[in-house]
Amino acid sequence: MTTTTTLPASLPPEARDRLYAACANAISEAGAERESLFLAGLALLVLGQPGREARCRTALADALHALPVPSLSASE
């Protein structure tokens, strides 16, 4: 599985794939009722460094833009 989200270029593709899978698993573990809270908390922990608001906003926009369109085959 290759991800299309924008992550640091210094991160090897294999590491991106492992982190993508770990994130997807954590979202599943949080469950549908807490998914949004989990993702917002994760974003603040990962991106919320002092003085980096502009970079964080760009990363959020990039991640939103890179979201794949859900496929009917995804529900199989």
Side-chain angles (χ1 to χ4, degrees):
M1 160 188 12
T2 302
T3 62
T4 58
T5 55
T6 303
L7 293 174
S10 61
L11 201 57
E14 299 82 16
R16 282 193 307 253
D17 287 344
R18 286 191 303 271
L19 288 172
Y20 185 89
C23 186
N25 288 334
I27 291 167
S28 293
E29 188 175 331
E33 292 179 353
R34 299 184 309 156
E35 179 179 321
S36 294
L37 294 173
F38 169 77
L39 291 173
L42 177 63
L44 288 175
L45 288 170
V46 173
L47 303 173
Q49 299 173 14
R52 298 196 129 171
E53 183 177 356
R55 183 173 177 189
C56 291
R57 288 182 182 277
T58 299
L60 289 169
D62 288 349
L64 184 60
H65 179 72
L67 280 176
V69 175
S71 164
L72 292 177
S73 64
S75 62
E76 293 178 359

